Amino acid sequence: MSRKEKSIELLNKAVADELLAVHQYMYFHFRCDDMGYDLLSGLFKRTAIQEMMHVEQLSERILFLKGEVEMKTSGDVQKIHEPKEMLDLATALEDGSLNDYNAWAQECAANADAVSKKLFETLVAEEEIHQDQYETELDNLEKFGANYLALQSVERSKSVAVGTAPAGE
């Protein structure tokens, strides 16, 4: 396998992981929105959009290397309904990406592909932010318990009652 082919393979693995994250986080967004947990819903939605931008960056690199972008997810969406379990999975997904992207950056460097290496390193920095946000939400759930989620739901109810709920959120 040529150096370029190896980079394309790794970039496509990342596309598959990012696509799974997009689907999983949008599922969580819908579920949290339905339960009135606006803060969590918004976090999952924003992160899903950022993951879509990662798919775009990875795909552009694959096409530059004259490869084919494989638009397949690396797994199936898990139908989780409990916010803590959602955050646990999201944290695990981000941790997996961090481990993979660090290793793949090193592999690209070993194959003299500095641009793909840099892309993976950039993604590592962004995935660390996502992981930190999810860990913060887990910490809030641990500190404040069900009250943390109840307050989000009450705020939604008050906003809806006075007609100030944001459209589409």
Side-chain angles (χ1 to χ4, degrees):
M1 177 179 292
S2 75
R3 286 186 253 191
K4 184 166 73 168
E5 290 171 331
K6 186 60 179 176
S7 289
I8 292 167
E9 176 189 321
L10 296 174
L11 292 161
N12 266 312
K13 284 182 180 181
V15 166
D17 289 345
E18 295 289 338
L19 285 172
L20 174 60
V22 169
H23 292 191
Q24 188 68 64
Y25 297 161
M26 286 305 291
Y27 175 81
F28 290 163
H29 158 64
F30 301 142
R31 295 297 307 180
C32 288
D33 184 64
D34 185 58
M35 294 182 279
Y37 304 148
D38 290 349
L39 292 175
L40 285 179
S41 173
L43 175 60
F44 284 123
K45 180 179 179 179
R46 284 188 309 278
T47 307
I49 291 168
Q50 291 167 350
E51 304 292 17
M52 282 189 282
M53 292 188 303
H54 294 169
V55 171
E56 183 175 25
Q57 293 169 321
L58 293 159
S59 298
E60 287 171 353
R61 181 67 183 154
I62 292 167
L63 293 172
F64 178 82
L65 294 172
K66 306 294 187 224
E68 186 62 47
V69 179
E70 301 298 330
M71 296 295 289
K72 300 173 186 171
T73 63
S74 62
D76 295 324
V77 169
Q78 295 186 37
K79 306 293 195 287
I80 297 171
H81 297 198
E82 293 300 318
K84 182 185 182 317
E85 293 174 26
M86 292 177 188
L87 291 165
D88 285 338
L89 178 60
T91 301
L93 287 173
E94 296 299 327
D95 190 54
S97 292
L98 288 169
N99 291 332
D100 289 342
Y101 296 172
N102 273 307
W104 296 345
Q106 297 308 312
E107 198 164 343
C108 288
N111 286 324
D113 182 358
V115 175
S116 295
K117 174 187 181 279
K118 184 177 178 184
L119 175 55
F120 281 123
E121 290 172 340
T122 300
L123 294 177
V124 165
E126 293 175 13
E127 301 298 354
E128 282 181 343
I129 293 168
H130 299 162
Q131 185 180 39
D132 182 60
Q133 290 170 324
Y134 292 138
E135 288 173 347
T136 297
E137 291 304 310
L138 280 168
D139 289 345
N140 287 339
L141 277 174
E142 187 173 317
K143 279 190 261 183
F144 306 115
N147 292 334
Y148 181 67
L149 297 172
L151 287 173
Q152 290 184 44
S153 187
V154 167
E155 283 301 312
R156 156 79 74 81
S157 295
K158 290 191 316 191
S159 295
V160 169
V162 296
T164 60
E169 294 261 18

